[in-house]
Amino acid sequence: MAGFLDRAKEQAQSALAQGKQKVDEVQEKRAGDALLKKLGAAYYAERRGTGSPQATQEALQALESHVATHGDGFLHGN
């Protein structure tokens, strides 16, 4: 009986870890999407004359930092 409970506990922990990983991936994608949107908005504002090159550069740096940390999977629709 103890072996069965140990296997059940291992399976539950594995499922929990997989679920947490998926949640983390979704949160990273959302953060990347938000940074990409912010960059687009900064660039658009700069082109219209209501923004600044500095704001565009800061948004680009934030996006590049995110990509360096989490990868660019969110850019490919994954």
Side-chain angles (χ1 to χ4, degrees):
M1 184 70 169
F4 171 76
L5 292 177
D6 289 339
R7 283 192 307 267
K9 181 180 177 182
E10 287 174 14
Q11 288 176 345
Q13 288 174 336
S14 175
L16 183 61
Q18 288 175 349
K20 183 182 179 326
Q21 181 181 2
K22 184 64 176 174
V23 168
D24 290 345
E25 289 171 7
V26 168
Q27 289 175 337
E28 289 168 8
K29 181 184 182 325
R30 286 183 181 166
D33 289 346
L35 290 168
L36 190 58
K37 183 178 178 181
K38 184 176 180 180
L39 174 60
Y43 177 76
Y44 180 74
E46 180 183 346
R47 297 291 293 171
R48 295 215 45 200
T50 59
S52 70
Q54 180 180 352
T56 302
Q57 186 60 36
E58 288 171 1
L60 178 60
Q61 288 173 343
L63 180 62
E64 288 175 339
S65 177
H66 180 81
V67 168
T69 303
H70 304 288
D72 65 355
F74 69 97
L75 294 171
H76 308 289
N78 294 341

